[in-house]
Amino acid sequence: MDETFDKKFFAKRLKEIRKGKKLTQDEVCDKSNIDISNYSKIETGKILPSLNSFYKIVKGLDVDANEFFEFNHLQEENLLDERIRKIYHNYSLKEKQLLYKLMRSIEDYR
């Protein structure tokens, strides 16, 4: 596995943590005393937070800082998505229609 830091995974993980706590971006900003425009750029992966902003976000979300770097599952999800796209690309129209029906059934079940 590639050990380089990916700010997009950091951003996805931040959003995942925020949503897990059922907070809006505005609520996180209020709790963290951070500007919403900066926070939005962080959560969309456009920028990385400064160390000070990161500290404020950790405190505002009341989580351990290490949680932000636990994104192996996101890497695995991206790999799975890519594999599914490759398989789907080779399907005939009939197979795609069948897959669609199956996915709709799953969606209705949820």
Side-chain angles (χ1 to χ4, degrees):
M1 178 179 7
D2 186 9
E3 294 296 326
T4 60
F5 184 77
D6 188 329
K7 66 182 176 182
K8 292 288 185 187
F9 286 130
F10 178 85
K12 284 182 180 181
R13 185 68 178 128
L14 172 58
K15 185 175 184 177
E16 187 177 63
I17 291 169
R18 174 182 61 80
K19 287 189 168 202
K21 296 210 169 247
K22 298 186 182 349
L23 296 171
T24 65
Q25 286 187 355
D26 286 325
E27 291 169 327
V28 173
C29 290
D30 288 344
K31 291 175 173 279
S32 305
N33 195 26
I34 291 179
D35 178 67
I36 184 68
S37 65
N38 254 358
Y39 181 85
S40 179
K41 290 176 187 173
I42 294 167
E43 195 173 281
T44 56
K46 292 179 180 154
I47 64 170
L48 285 171
S50 67
L51 187 55
N52 188 46
S53 293
F54 178 64
Y55 178 78
K56 289 179 178 182
I57 292 169
V58 167
K59 291 297 179 189
L61 287 171
D62 190 30
V63 295
D64 187 280
N66 289 329
E67 287 191 45
F68 289 92
F69 303 100
E70 295 173 0
F71 41 73
N72 285 341
H73 66 288
L74 297 174
Q75 292 169 324
E76 292 166 4
E77 182 179 352
N78 283 352
L79 181 60
L80 180 60
D81 287 346
E82 183 58 33
R83 287 178 179 164
I84 290 170
R85 275 191 289 278
K86 285 180 181 178
I87 292 170
Y88 178 82
H89 180 72
N90 293 319
Y91 277 5
S92 68
L93 176 58
K94 189 173 183 173
E95 290 169 324
K96 288 177 182 178
Q97 290 169 335
L98 181 60
L99 180 60
Y100 175 75
K101 288 178 184 178
L102 177 62
M103 292 172 72
R104 287 301 310 240
S105 296
I106 293 169
E107 191 64 27
D108 291 345
Y109 179 76
R110 292 172 48 190

